[in-house]
Amino acid sequence: AQSVTQLDSHVSVSEGTPVLLRCNYSSSYSPSLFWYVQHPNKGLQLLLKYTSAATLVKGINGFEAEFKKSETSFHLTKPSAHMSDAAEYFCVVSQTGANNLFFGTGTRLTVIP
Amino acid sequence: NAGVTQTPKFQVLKTGQSMTLQCAQDMNHNSMYWYRQDPGMGLRLIYYSASEGTTDKGEVPNGYNVSRLNKREFSLRLESAAPSQTSVYFCASSEAWGARRNQPQHFGDGTRLSIL
């Protein structure tokens, strides 16, 4: 069975400081993993996706995520937070053999000026 | 490019009323999905359509029906609305179901539904 745990419901950082949003997954097989971002009153936008080709995945807007199989983690990072990064972030795992997605409960990122 | 378009954006219903939420995508995607988003619970899959002509239940299908009208359109119907169905509803689409992994889903902006 597939599941996702986002370890922090809310993260607050100062503008210009690093961002770390933590995600642990559970999957019976090699998973497909995604990070989505949701700005207020908007739909979800794909930030990045994990393919088996590389464990360090680069996404849009300077975000990266590293797949660590031994730790079953897929944490999202960004070196320097921008005010426009304030949003809700979802870690998502895909069921093998299908395109059904399982969402974490989300992490709300606040960026302090 | 419009992507995934949902109508209406907002709606208030009374308990027992019926309503259909509309969704259309212009990306020629095969698969379409309906989710609901509730505070602290992420998104939960209501129904999906792997391809035109097929529909299947997701995690929380009770109280809903769907119709895949054609390849572009996938509607969600509440036959007799209940306060527990107050939520934000998202439609999504993707290229394929199962054939290839790592297919991202593309989301609409949501329909905010309140049932009194």
Side-chain angles (χ1 to χ4, degrees):
Chain A
Q2 284 76 22
S3 68
V4 169
T5 302
Q6 292 185 243
L7 299 171
D8 307 291
S9 60
H10 187 206
V11 170
S12 184
V13 301
S14 297
E15 189 176 17
T17 65
V19 175
L20 170 64
L21 305 182
R22 299 182 294 165
C23 172
N24 284 73
Y25 69 90
S26 171
S27 177
S28 303
Y29 305 97
S30 296
S32 299
L33 292 160
F34 309 83
W35 275 98
Y36 282 84
V37 61
Q38 184 181 29
H39 288 93
N41 299 315
K42 290 292 186 181
L44 280 72
Q45 179 185 13
L46 180 69
L47 270 181
L48 50 83
K49 64 179 182 180
Y50 165 69
T51 66
S52 57
T55 57
L56 183 62
V57 182
K58 294 185 182 299
I60 62 172
N61 300 334
F63 283 94
E64 294 183 346
E66 186 172 7
F67 174 71
K68 293 186 176 180
K69 186 175 182 179
S70 61
E71 299 177 8
T72 61
S73 69
F74 190 56
H75 300 336
L76 182 70
T77 61
K78 183 174 181 177
S80 176
H82 191 272
M83 293 299 295
S84 61
D85 295 328
E88 185 118 20
Y89 292 79
F90 292 93
C91 182
V92 183
V93 64
S94 173
Q95 180 179 344
T96 300
N99 232 11
N100 203 354
L101 299 183
F102 294 89
F103 286 78
T105 52
T107 298
R108 181 167 299 279
L109 176 65
T110 299
V111 182
I112 302 168
Chain B
N1 291 334
V4 178
T5 302
Q6 292 184 236
T7 56
K9 294 188 184 303
F10 303 93
Q11 185 70 48
V12 178
L13 294 177
K14 294 181 180 179
T15 298
Q17 286 185 316
S18 62
M19 170 165 192
T20 299
L21 280 60
Q22 307 287 352
C23 174
Q25 52 92 8
D26 63 1
M27 296 172 282
N28 201 35
H29 285 167
N30 288 310
S31 303
M32 298 185 73
Y33 314 81
W34 276 105
Y35 294 90
R36 60 179 289 173
Q37 183 180 29
D38 301 294
M41 300 189 73
L43 273 72
R44 292 180 293 168
L45 184 66
I46 304 171
Y47 271 93
Y48 65 93
S49 172
S51 61
E52 186 179 357
T54 68
T55 61
D56 284 287
K57 296 178 179 179
E59 182 183 356
V60 288
N62 291 344
Y64 305 95
N65 286 300
V66 291
S67 295
R68 183 74 182 267
L69 304 171
N70 47 55
K71 190 172 185 178
R72 291 186 62 249
E73 298 173 287
F74 188 40
S75 64
L76 177 72
R77 183 163 179 83
L78 287 69
E79 290 290 353
S80 179
S84 61
Q85 294 178 304
T86 293
S87 188
V88 183
Y89 292 85
F90 288 97
C91 178
S93 69
S94 67
E95 282 188 12
W97 174 271
R100 291 177 292 171
R101 294 169 53 208
N102 302 316
Q103 293 301 306
Q105 293 183 11
H106 301 261
F107 287 80
D109 284 345
T111 295
R112 283 146 187 84
L113 183 60
S114 293
I115 299 163
L116 308 177

